[in-house]
Amino acid sequence: MRNFYLVQAGCLYGNTYYLPYAVGMLAAFALDDEILKQEFSLGRIIYSLEDIDTAIASMEEPSLVGFSNSIWNYEYNLEFAKKLKMKYPDCVIEFGGHHVPPDNSFLNDYDFIDVLIHGKGEEAFRDVLLAVSGRIEYSDIPNISYRDPNGNPHKTQTQAIRICDYPSPYLTGVFDQIISEGGYPFSCVLETNRGCPYNCSYCDWGELNSQVRMFSLERVFAELEWMAANKMEFVYLVDANFGMFARDEQIAQKLVELKETAGYPNRLQVSYAKNEPDRVFRINKLLADHGIGKGATLALQSLSPEVLKNVGRANISKEEYVRRIAQFRGAGISTYTELIIGLPGETLQSFEEGLCEILELGQHSSVTAYHCELLPGSRMSTKEYMEQYGIKTVCTTLDQFHCNDMRNVLSGYSNIVVGTNTMSPDEWIEANFFAGGLQGLHHFGLTQCAAMYVRKELNISYHDFYTALLRFLTDESSVFRPLFRNIRRVLYDFVYNGGPLTVIDGRFGSITWPLEEEVFLACLYDRELFYKEIEIFLRRYIYDAALLSDLLCYQRSVILHPDNNSEEIMLHFAWRDYFNAIMENTYIPLQKRDVMYRFQSPFNVESWPEYAKQIVWYGRRNSRMLYSSSPNTITEV
C-alpha cells in the first residue's frame, strides 16, 4: 500500500482553523476510484502552519505529497517541499491551487516540484496517482505540467472540466481524523456550485471556470446536516454568485431549519449575485430574520466607467443601487459595498470621489476598500495587461487580517498593485489613507451623524468634509496626530520598504487589524478626547453652540461602547427621526423638541479585546457597533 499526504496549511483566525476543503475534495475523489482505493492510503492532511520538520517526521514513506497553493501558504509550501525532497527524493511532489501559474514556469524555478495541476484539480490529481502507480502516462493527463525522465518540463493540453458529481470530503469521512484530534473549533467551506459566468480581469474564477456546474441538492443538504452535527460555528459559502439560481432559496431555508433545530451553523458568509435582486433580497431577509447572515453584498469595485471597462465589469445602475439599499434597510438588513483600490484607469481623484459618491447614494452602513492583488490565473497578471496599464506591484509577505502576528512566520506572499499609469505609488498611499480614515470615522459611526448634518443643512459635500477632517486630525495640534501619522507611515513602509499593511495594537488583543478598524478602535478608546477635538472641528461649520452640543451628545451615544450596553439621554432635538430619514435617502426637517432616547443592545462585552473581536471584527458588515443598526435599538421614551 502506497501512502500519499496532502498539505493545505492555513492561518489561525482568532481561535479557529478552516477545514482543508480543497485537498479534502482531492482525497475524496481519488479514493472513490476502486483501483486507487486498493493501492493508496491517505496518511494525513496538514491543515495548519505547523513546524515543517515535525510534519515531515510524521510521514511514513510518502509516494506523493500534494500541496494546495494559495497566497497564505506559498512560501511555507516551497520550504516544506524542498525539505521533503531532500529526505524522500523519490516522492512525487505535486503543486496545485490558485497560486500555481497557468504555464510550467514553476518547474523551471523549483527543481523539487515534479507535477503542477492547472485549474480545478480533482480529476488531474486522481490521474497523477494513477501515473505514480504506473497505470497511465503523465503525458496523457490533461491540465498538468510535469517533468520527463530527463528532467525537461512539459505542459499537457488544456481541457474543460464539465462534471460536478465529486464525492464530498465531509460525507466520506476525510475530515473525521482532524475533528477527532480536536484542539480547535473548526470553520468550514460550503460549495453548492462551481464556476462564474463573468470575466473580471482581476479574478481567476471566470478565466478558469466560465461554465457554472451544480452539486446536487441532496449532497448540499447532507453536507449542511454534517456541519450542524459537527457544530460548525462559521460557514463560508464560496459560490461566486449565491442567489443566481432558484434552488438557492431552498439551500437558505435548509440553513435556517438546521440553525433552529440544531443550533448550527451559526454564521454564514456569502458572495451574492448582482443580477437577481428579488431572490437575493428574499434570501437575505430569511437569513437575517434567523440571525445567520452577515448582510447583503452590493459590490461596485469602482464607480469610474473607464475603470469598469478596463477590468471587464458592468455594475448595476446607480438608481438600482439606491433602490436596493432602501429595500434592505426597510427590512432591517445591513448592506455592505466593496471597492478595489488600484484598478487600471483609476486616479486618486476618481477613487476619492467615487468613495464619497457611495455616501451620496445612501450607503452609510459598511464599505470595504480592498487592495488590488495580482492572481496568477487572472487576465490582469499577464505581461501584456500589466504593460498596457503600467501596473506596479509590491511583493509582500502574508498580510491577513484578524490573525496572529505573521511577520516572523513562513507562510506566503501577495503581489499588491500599488501603481498604474493613472495612479502613482504616492497617490496610492493617499488613496488608502483617505479610504482608511473615511471608513474608520464614517462607516463605523464615529462622525457619521455630524457629517450627515453638515451635508444636508450646509451643503458641504462628504468629500470636502472628510478631506478637511483628516487634515485637521493630522495637524500638529491634534491629539490624534500620532495615530494618523502612523497610518500613513504603515502605508509608506509597505510601498517602499515591504512592510505589513496591518496593525497590531495590544489594547485590542494580539491579532492583526486593517487600518480602518485601527482608526475606529483607537479613536473610540480615547472617546472623550476624540469628541473634544471633533467639537473644535465642527465649530467651523455649526455656530449654534446648543445645537452642536446636542448633536455631539447624540453622535457620541449612538456608538456601542464596552462600558455598557444600555443608556438613556435627554436631548432637545429629534435626532433619531432626522438621521433615520437620511439613511433611507429621504429628508425631514430637524424638529426642536425635548426627547428622551434609550439606547439598548443585546451585545454585552466588557473588555476592549472582546469588543474588538465581537463588535468590530464579527459585526462590521452588520454595523453592530451602532445602536441605529438591528438588533440594537434607539427608542423614544
Side-chain angles (χ1 to χ4, degrees), residues 39-103:
E39 293 195 16
F40 284 89
S41 174
L42 173 61
R44 65 180 291 235
I45 298 177
I46 294 161
Y47 62 87
S48 68
L49 295 165
E50 67 178 83
D51 178 74
I52 292 174
D53 292 332
T54 302
I56 293 175
S58 73
M59 297 179 175
E60 298 181 9
E61 298 300 325
S63 294
L64 177 143
V65 177
F67 292 83
S68 179
N69 222 36
S70 300
I71 61 170
W72 53 81
N73 60 23
Y74 173 78
E75 292 290 344
Y76 177 87
N77 285 349
L78 289 176
E79 183 68 15
F80 196 132
K82 184 178 180 180
K83 287 187 172 184
L84 181 67
K85 198 68 168 179
M86 292 175 65
K87 183 171 182 179
Y88 295 107
D90 294 331
C91 174
V92 174
I93 294 178
E94 172 267 321
F95 269 42
H98 282 274
H99 236 57
V100 168
D103 56 25

Side-chain angles (χ1 to χ4, degrees), residues 46-322:
I46 294 161
Y47 62 87
S48 68
L49 295 165
E50 67 178 83
D51 178 74
I52 292 174
D53 292 332
T54 302
I56 293 175
S58 73
M59 297 179 175
E60 298 181 9
E61 298 300 325
S63 294
L64 177 143
V65 177
F67 292 83
S68 179
N69 222 36
S70 300
I71 61 170
W72 53 81
N73 60 23
Y74 173 78
E75 292 290 344
Y76 177 87
N77 285 349
L78 289 176
E79 183 68 15
F80 196 132
K82 184 178 180 180
K83 287 187 172 184
L84 181 67
K85 198 68 168 179
M86 292 175 65
K87 183 171 182 179
Y88 295 107
D90 294 331
C91 174
V92 174
I93 294 178
E94 172 267 321
F95 269 42
H98 282 274
H99 236 57
V100 168
D103 56 25
N104 60 15
S105 57
F106 265 25
L107 298 183
N108 292 319
D109 296 340
Y110 308 110
D111 60 6
F112 48 82
I113 300 176
D114 300 300
V115 180
L116 304 175
I117 293 180
H118 305 289
K120 297 302 180 182
E122 286 89 352
E123 291 148 88
F125 180 78
R126 175 201 60 193
D127 292 346
V128 167
L129 286 177
L130 289 171
V132 169
S133 69
R135 294 181 177 272
I136 62 174
E137 298 294 327
Y138 285 115
S139 58
D140 295 329
I141 305 173
N143 305 321
I144 72 165
S145 294
Y146 69 98
R147 298 182 191 281
D148 65 23
N150 296 319
N152 300 313
H154 299 273
K155 187 175 186 296
T156 63
Q157 65 177 344
T158 300
Q159 180 174 297
I161 298 171
R162 302 190 181 280
I163 68 170
C164 205
D165 56 354
Y166 308 117
S168 164
Y170 302 115
L171 306 179
T172 55
V174 170
F175 298 137
D176 288 357
Q177 181 179 351
I178 292 176
I179 291 176
S180 65
E181 290 173 353
Y184 295 94
F186 289 100
S187 298
C188 64
V189 162
L190 174 66
E191 184 181 30
T192 79
N193 65 61
R194 183 175 290 184
C196 180
Y198 306 117
N199 192 19
C200 302
S201 68
Y202 49 81
C203 180
D204 63 1
W205 281 6
E207 286 287 313
L208 298 174
N209 303 293
S210 58
Q211 181 180 4
V212 180
R213 292 162 290 136
M214 317 287 279
F215 289 104
S216 72
L217 270 182
E218 180 182 13
R219 169 208 168 107
V220 173
F221 286 177
E223 287 190 327
L224 288 172
E225 290 169 356
W226 184 94
M227 293 171 190
N230 286 277
K231 298 183 178 180
M232 296 290 113
E233 183 76 20
F234 185 87
V235 173
Y236 197 145
L237 202 165
V238 295
D239 297 359
N241 302 279
F242 190 62
M244 178 181 288
F245 305 107
R247 73 175 203 159
D248 291 345
E249 288 190 75
Q250 295 175 257
I251 295 169
Q253 184 62 53
K254 181 68 174 181
L255 276 159
V256 167
E257 291 173 3
L258 290 169
K259 172 70 182 301
E260 294 299 299
T261 57
Y264 296 92
N266 195 34
R267 300 291 287 175
L268 180 73
Q269 183 162 326
V270 186
S271 295
Y272 287 104
K274 66 180 180 180
N275 290 329
E276 293 291 341
D278 295 333
R279 184 180 300 129
V280 167
F281 174 77
R282 292 193 299 270
I283 289 173
N284 270 278
K285 182 73 166 64
L286 178 66
L287 297 177
D289 288 346
H290 293 83
I292 300 177
K294 293 193 70 175
T297 318
L298 294 174
L300 295 174
Q301 316 310 353
S302 174
L303 276 78
S304 164
E306 179 184 355
V307 172
L308 296 174
K309 179 182 178 182
N310 291 344
V311 300
R313 180 180 172 87
N315 283 338
I316 59 175
S317 69
K318 293 176 182 178
E319 293 75 17
E320 176 64 11
Y321 180 78
V322 170

Side-chain angles (χ1 to χ4, degrees), residues 252-418:
Q253 184 62 53
K254 181 68 174 181
L255 276 159
V256 167
E257 291 173 3
L258 290 169
K259 172 70 182 301
E260 294 299 299
T261 57
Y264 296 92
N266 195 34
R267 300 291 287 175
L268 180 73
Q269 183 162 326
V270 186
S271 295
Y272 287 104
K274 66 180 180 180
N275 290 329
E276 293 291 341
D278 295 333
R279 184 180 300 129
V280 167
F281 174 77
R282 292 193 299 270
I283 289 173
N284 270 278
K285 182 73 166 64
L286 178 66
L287 297 177
D289 288 346
H290 293 83
I292 300 177
K294 293 193 70 175
T297 318
L298 294 174
L300 295 174
Q301 316 310 353
S302 174
L303 276 78
S304 164
E306 179 184 355
V307 172
L308 296 174
K309 179 182 178 182
N310 291 344
V311 300
R313 180 180 172 87
N315 283 338
I316 59 175
S317 69
K318 293 176 182 178
E319 293 75 17
E320 176 64 11
Y321 180 78
V322 170
R323 186 192 73 81
R324 293 190 192 181
I325 288 177
Q327 181 187 35
F328 282 110
R329 181 166 180 80
I333 302 170
S334 297
T335 60
Y336 58 92
T337 294
E338 298 169 333
L339 297 176
I340 299 177
I341 301 177
L343 292 174
E346 195 82 79
T347 66
L348 173 61
Q349 181 179 354
S350 71
F351 176 79
E352 288 186 357
E353 290 178 349
L355 183 56
C356 291
E357 186 175 358
I358 290 173
L359 303 185
E360 301 285 358
L361 294 172
Q363 176 56 290
H364 300 282
S365 297
S366 181
V367 170
T368 300
Y370 293 105
H371 302 112
C372 183
E373 180 170 352
L374 287 190
L375 301 176
S378 69
R379 184 157 44 95
M380 185 176 287
S381 68
T382 64
K383 180 181 179 181
E384 296 77 17
Y385 193 100
M386 293 181 68
E387 289 178 350
Q388 180 180 357
Y389 294 106
I391 292 175
K392 304 176 183 68
T393 64
V394 166
C395 181
T396 176
T397 54
L398 181 69
D399 218 27
Q400 295 284 85
F401 303 143
H402 309 130
C403 292
N404 294 329
D405 187 358
M406 301 293 292
R407 280 171 284 191
N408 297 314
V409 176
L410 185 65
S411 54
Y413 75 82
S414 301
N415 282 305
I416 304 296
V417 175
V418 298

Side-chain angles (χ1 to χ4, degrees), residues 437-453:
L438 186 144
Q439 290 170 93
L441 297 171
H442 190 92
H443 290 106
F444 286 95
L446 287 169
T447 57
Q448 185 181 95
C449 296
M452 288 176 174
Y453 179 83

